[in-house]
Each structure stands twice: as C-alpha cells, then as structure tokens.
Amino acid sequence: KYAARTSVIPFNPVLATDSIRRQAGEKSQVREPWNQEEMNQVLWAVVANSKLDCFLHLMMHTGMRPGEVLGLRWQDIDGAGSALSVTGTLKQARRITPSGQGVVRMERNEPKTFASRRPITISPELSQALDRQKMYESVARITAEENWQESGYVITTLVGSPVSLSNLRKVYVKFLSVNTFRYIRLHDIRHSVATLSLGLGIPIEQVSQVLGHTRIETTKNIYAQHVPKF
C-alpha cells in the first residue's frame, strides 16, 4: 500500500489476490496460556535477566500488547508510580527512501484503537521491577558514556535506543529454553493474563478495559470459555 501510494509501483498487486484462510485442521500458532504456577515461575526467574525483567513484568502484570510495552515511556508513568498510561505502540517499519532503498526503523504510532489508550494500575511487584529498570538504565548510561541515546523509553538497549520486538523475541526464546519453561508466544502472555484474571473472578468488564478492547463482546468472544459460570 505504501509503495503504491508513493508511486514506487504503479498499483498494489496484492489487491488481486484472495485473503489467506485457515484450512480445516490447520494447526494454530496460538499456544495454551500459562497457568498460575508457570507465571509465578517465570516471574521469579526473570528477575535475574536484566534484558527481560521489566518487559515481562509489564506484560504479565498488565496484559499489555508487546508493542505497547516497548512504546511505554517514563513520562507515561505518573509521579507517584501508582499508574501508567498506554499512549502509543512501538514497532519496526520498513520505509522506502527517495533513492528507492528500503530501510527499517523503529516508529512509535498511536494505540491500536481508541480504547487501547487507557490507564493501568501498577502493582507493588511491577513497581519494584520498574525501580530495577531505572537502576539498569543508570548503569547502562554510565557505561555507554557519549554513545548514550536519551530516548525516554522504559525498555531500551544498552545505549538507550528503543528495542525492536524481533530482537527481544530472540532473548525471550533463549530465556525460556535455558530455564526449561514451556514456550508460548509473547502475545500469548496477554491471553494468559486474561484467562487467569477471569478465573480469579475479576469481572469481564474490568478485564476488557485493562486489555484495551473496544467492545466487551470482543473479550467475550475470545475468552467466553474462561468466564466463570454461576
């Protein structure tokens, strides 16, 4: 679409194709969510991993999308450290330069939907993870010296620049393998948070709001089987 819009190509050839449809019996990429014990084990082990500590705590305590976590800035956390605001999402974007060269860069965009722009309460455990992240950042800033980039993001590289999801995913997969934890995709962590919350009796309206769903029907359609029956 971008190439056609900027006249790099005369038209979008994808428009002439059919949408990809899942075939009957085709295996889904979605993994079975972690249960409470698995979540606790991961949270306990990740404290020793400075690259994933704060990222996974944010994922597992808030149900935020991976891109929303990477797009979180320190300015999105209130002064008291009691709540954060989801105000954007960070992702890799491929752009075509005037010379026709393709370049990949990190871009911060608006949240996925209007409902995705939401406040989330910070738990005591998440607050501690954020404090550790500040410490990691302080050490990295001193070590990087003049190479440090003040990006303002909570999750950064060792020189302060934003982190790409593809690079972080590699670190995540290795962390699970080393600790022999059952693999689930990063987005499946969001599903784990939702199913555990519903299993604990948290109202679906509240879960839907925290997840940033536009309509509660969306939450019901995805997690109906996990809503307690009374």
Side-chain angles (χ1 to χ4, degrees), residues 14-32:
V14 178
L15 295 178
T17 65
D18 295 325
S19 299
I20 297 176
R21 298 180 183 277
R22 189 177 300 281
Q23 300 299 312
E26 183 178 347
K27 188 176 180 181
S28 171
Q29 292 185 344
V30 178
R31 303 300 180 100
E32 182 68 23

Side-chain angles (χ1 to χ4, degrees), residues 119-133:
I120 299 177
T121 301
I122 294 176
S123 66
E125 293 80 6
L126 178 53
S127 179
Q128 292 172 10
L130 288 166
D131 287 341
R132 290 193 298 272
Q133 184 66 13

Side-chain angles (χ1 to χ4, degrees), residues 168-182:
L168 194 66
R169 188 179 289 113
K170 295 174 184 176
V171 178
Y172 167 73
V173 171
K174 183 178 180 180
F175 164 75
L176 295 184
S177 176
V178 169
N179 290 277
T180 63
F181 293 136
R182 180 170 63 87

Side-chain angles (χ1 to χ4, degrees), residues 45-163:
V46 80
V47 172
N49 189 312
S50 60
K51 293 181 180 179
L52 290 174
D53 181 13
C54 190
F55 177 80
L56 286 188
H57 271 82
L58 280 164
M59 287 281 296
M60 297 166 75
H61 280 271
T62 68
M64 292 167 67
R65 301 175 178 93
E68 293 174 339
V69 175
L70 294 180
L72 183 69
R73 304 164 299 182
W74 289 112
Q75 69 185 61
D76 296 322
I77 300 174
D78 67 18
S82 59
L84 61 85
S85 298
V86 178
T87 62
T89 182
L90 192 70
K91 67 176 184 178
Q92 286 178 299
R94 185 176 180 83
R95 292 289 178 256
I96 306 298
T97 64
S99 63
Q101 237 181 350
V103 295
V104 177
R105 62 189 181 196
M106 301 301 296
E107 289 188 357
R108 192 173 192 275
N109 302 309
E110 289 294 307
K112 184 177 180 180
T113 63
F114 178 78
S116 296
R117 187 180 289 273
R118 62 201 187 278
I120 299 177
T121 301
I122 294 176
S123 66
E125 293 80 6
L126 178 53
S127 179
Q128 292 172 10
L130 288 166
D131 287 341
R132 290 193 298 272
Q133 184 66 13
K134 288 180 181 177
M135 180 189 68
Y136 297 144
E137 184 180 284
S138 296
V139 173
R141 184 185 287 106
I142 294 172
T143 304
E145 298 181 333
E146 68 276 3
N147 294 320
W148 180 259
Q149 303 173 35
E150 199 63 58
S151 64
Y153 289 107
V154 173
I155 309 298
T156 64
T157 66
L158 293 176
V159 294
S161 57
V163 176

Side-chain angles (χ1 to χ4, degrees), residues 202-213:
I202 297 176
I204 193 169
E205 295 82 4
Q206 186 176 339
V207 173
S208 182
Q209 182 180 13
V210 170
L211 293 177
H213 287 162

